[in-house]
Amino acid sequence: MSKTPETTGPRKSPGQEDSGGLSLPPLPWLIGAAVVLAVLVGADAVIDFKPHFGVDGIFGFHAAYGLLSGLFVVIVAKIAGIFLKRTDTYYDAD
Amino acid sequence: MTLLPHLAALQVVIPLLAAPICIMLRRPGLAWGFATLVSLTDFVISLGLLWQVQTDGPFSYAIGNWAAPWGIEYRVDALAAYMLVIISAMGAAVMLFARRSIEAEIEHARIYLFYTCYLLCLTGLLGMVITGDAFNLFVFLEISALSSYAMIALGRGRRALTAAYHYLILGTVGATFYVIGVGLVYSLTGTLNMADLSRLLPQAAGYRTLEVALAFITVGVALKLALFPLHKWLPDAYSYAPSVVSAFLASTATKVALYVLIRLFFTVFGASYLTEGIPVAEVLLVTAIAAMFSGSAVAIWQADLKRSLAYSSVAQIGYMVLGVALISAAGMAAGLLHLFNHALMKACLFLALGAVFYRLKSVNIRDMEGIARQMPLTMGAFVVGGLSLIGVPLTAGFISKWYLMLASFQDGRWWLAVLIVLSSLLAVVYVWRVVEAAYLRPRPHGAPAVREAPMSLLAPLWGLALANIWFGLDTSYSYGAAQWAAEALFRAGGLL
Amino acid sequence: MTQISALVPPGVILMIGGLLLALLRGAPAARAVILPLAPLVTLWAVWQVPDAVVMSAAFLDYRLDIVEGGALSRLFATIFAIMAFLGGLYAMKRDSVMELAAAFIYAGGAVGVCFAGDLVTLFVFWEVMAIASATVIWANRTEGSFAAGMRYLFIHLLGGVLLMAGIAAWVMETGSLELEAMAPADVATWLMLAGVLVNAGAPPLWAWVGDAYPEASWSGTVFLSAFTTKTAVYVVLVLFPGVALLTWIGLAMIVYGIIYALLDNDIRRILAYSIVNQVGFMLVAAGIGTEMALNGAAAHAFAHIIYKALLLMSAGAVLYQTGIRKATDLGGLAKTMPITAICGIIGAFAIAGFPATSGYVSKSLITTAAADAHLAWVWFPLETASAATFVYLGLRWPWLIFFGKNNSGLTPKDPPPTMTAAMVLTAVLCIGVGIWPSALYGLLPVPPDYSPYSVYKVVHQLQLLLFAGLAFFALKPLLRPKRTVTLDFDWFYRRFGTFLAAEFGMRGVRAGGSVLDIFQGGLRRFVTFVETHHGPGGLLARTWATSTAVFGVVLLLLIYLIIYFV
């Protein structure tokens, strides 16, 4: 039997939800991640390729661009959200 | 002796003579059998006439051998033959359905009267089409109108009486306007024969009398045609009449009025008259567009589905008039094609509602919730008719819309084509309401259990539903005939 | 030997399967046979179609090429048939026959569009898809799905009529029904382009994707995600390749998809928005119009169907097992639903274009095409979008459902075997295409001389994605979902419902209630006008008194007389 697709989950006040977002992962994970990222950026010094636009040939360009892009879209989305978000019961009165 | 030369007369005389015989039969079953037999015979005759016109070209038949213009002339050309086939086919289809539906909706003692009225109405409608005499047309108009008032009044409930009365008053006004117009024309030309008129009227061009006559005739026929904004009689009449009557009138009566309009405009007055000076075509175009949107919009909000379909008819008449008002052979063909296709779809839909009413004693959308599970075949036919009404591909309705759009584009009026398709979206809404209620809603608690309609209702219903699909796939007959009729009309009018 | 495709179009085989299912009322045996078999037979038939017209018919005054083969047709039809198979397997336990039958007819319509050799056949299958897909949504049988399904159908029929009007105008102009590359230059082509783009989820009517897809059942959405937008991409590739406008439209869709997905809380609506985002990539490529770009668009559609289905299967499994669709109520399910979680993560990484997944090998065709064409204004946004996709879907989506705190408190297991099998198969396909891209490239209209796995390409892609990942972890607190919905274009046709219901007391037509939502457009005054004049008791709907009516007739006669005299 399929379950009803309606929301049946428990509802909590927003403040109660998962407060663990700021806690850091275990140290070995952090070190591992840092090594991977460093090796990836370092690889730019070794590999040979032809940039298309000039700027994308700069050392570590893709890494920096990825980081900035990630930050950028989240912030843009958050700003857009100020104007576009409504509580999820907004359309229920229909 | 062969009957073949007399087919034109037989077409009208058979149902006319059958009507009094029907009164004498009295027994409902007998009356039904007889009326059905007459309808089928008439259908065969109309096919014979169509064949004659296609092989030998248009011909005239002088009633009682009195030559026109003194005697009454029957004139069968491509358009008339096309219309005769549609009317008699619809009559036959509806009759096959009628027996049990009529038993359920009309008092037992009056059933034979219904069949008599039906035969008279059929006589009138066929006569209007076949006659070549403007006054004789009025006579047939009255025959069909009076008998349809009576048929509507046979519906159960007092509102049927009111509706019939309302229709009677407005129908009489329409007929009177028509006859006034014909009188004025007679005063100018001294003839009532259409062929004569078309020859003599150009000489009378410019007379104010002629313009007044045209105004009277236009308004009078537009009233019979239920052309927006003269459509007010139609919804009441169709919703309170017995289902079979609604189906028959919706698929024939307004169509014949459109035929009269075309005949008078294009054959008698001459299309050049319409395009020069007087903005008749423009007026028709505007009212047609208003009908398309207004009729559909009202249909959306009707809880009584017969009423909803009636308003939808008002909108569909708009499409036909739009085709005619383009004053081009392509537009005319599209309008005539839609006339045929709409007869198929509306008959199918009204008969489906008739089958629902047979079991449910209601066609209110609230009573029909969840009914598709109990009456899958009936509602299936309704959906097919509805899809055709919307104009979904593979149905007859699509072909209509397609040619209407082509004609609009050919005319360089692309906005008209866009209006056509946009208005058909309104049809989606009023058809879908029914689908949602019947298919997706649960049957309300305490609602009476219903069964599928009996086979005698389902068979003709599905015949019409399949015809909607057939003529959506194979258009060689439907569009072929419509195009042929339109071109013959324009060629005869010297416009092609 | 007679070709099978000359007897019956491949798409119709699927449709027959759907009809059989309906006729047999979804009996378990019928399901077990038809659900896998109909798509497989279709797939076989797809591969029997040669590169020529094999089936034609006379219709009106034209000759319709009902089945016409070609490389692009075969590519799209292949993935559609595969998707019908995977979806059918996944939906084996779905109890709604209506949904399964409609889904197969819908998929058959999509295959039919692919092989349509003329505009009318294309349009016919197009409309079949619209109606069948709306039925898939309705099959969920919730109030929400009735209303959303109707809104969805209405938008698509609107697109359909635009397309039909365009086709009619085109036929009038050229007298030809052939499918050929055209550019939007006149009424005909603009109408056609508009009609096709509605189905692609292009602005401004893009809201239908996010509005309708999450309202379907756990299995219905899997079907919905695959066909409608991708057939639109196919048609764009056939009719409008290289139309520069498409690039702009695609970029707008990419941005829209990212922002709305980042803000949303419904796990399947996030995926719906990401469809718009990914179709944006395809339209951008169609707009670039080089051989490489067109290849990229087609390949990306192929890859996208696989990983998006995988994601929606994973989300559907969660919904099936928990009944929860809101991210705020989920989390931490990886422990108890490991297979679902792994499949979801594979899908999420694929959509982000992680090397070794299908998304990587197709998306890199598009970015490379942009770079080769030296379109900086396309390439940089695309790179940003790739990075953003890794944030909003690659990491955020699995995190919301499978990691973090378990907000539901439930400990659901992986779904039943058929669903799990479908997921695993799809995941295998997803990785398989990623590892052996030549299999996909070989299907493309012009097999590209291209390898996505040169060292620098992989390194740069990993740099881009992993550093975007760094941004994700840095901003994680901001990415927590809220119990919100996001305003969209559908606001214009949804919000006024409340007003109307309250103001006009439309209880009388409750059965058609959800229909009326459509009329709640921004033109509130117009609606008010229509309602007061056309609604029950309105001037135009009321039965007039006989005398009033007669007076009206006489008045009209007067007007006519005046017109005639003037």
Side-chain angles (χ1 to χ4, degrees), chain A residues 2-93:
Chain A
S2 85
K3 306 197 171 54
T4 55
E6 297 299 313
T7 305
T8 54
R11 297 185 69 120
K12 304 187 190 78
S13 65
Q16 220 179 313
E17 283 159 9
D18 186 7
S19 56
L22 286 172
S23 65
L24 288 172
L27 195 61
W29 283 81
L30 284 179
I31 294 171
V35 169
V36 170
L37 294 180
V39 166
L40 274 175
V41 178
D44 260 5
V46 189
I47 54 176
D48 177 41
F49 71 99
K50 191 168 117 318
H52 281 282
F53 302 102
V55 67
D56 55 333
I58 300 169
F59 177 81
F61 167 80
H62 290 85
Y65 195 75
L67 182 67
L68 290 175
S69 296
L71 297 173
F72 174 71
V73 292
V74 172
I75 288 160
V76 168
K78 280 313 223 185
I79 293 170
I82 297 170
F83 301 101
L84 295 172
K85 294 230 271 193
R86 296 289 183 275
T87 61
D88 60 2
T89 51
Y90 182 73
Y91 286 120
D92 290 358

Side-chain angles (χ1 to χ4, degrees), chain B residues 166 208 232 236 429 432 436, chain C residues 138 514-515 540 543 546 565:
Chain B
H166 195 65
R208 276 288 148 90
K232 295 309 301 183
D236 274 353
V429 181
W432 190 74
E436 180 186 322
Chain C
W138 290 327
S514 48
V515 181
L540 292 172
T543 304
T546 310
F565 272 98

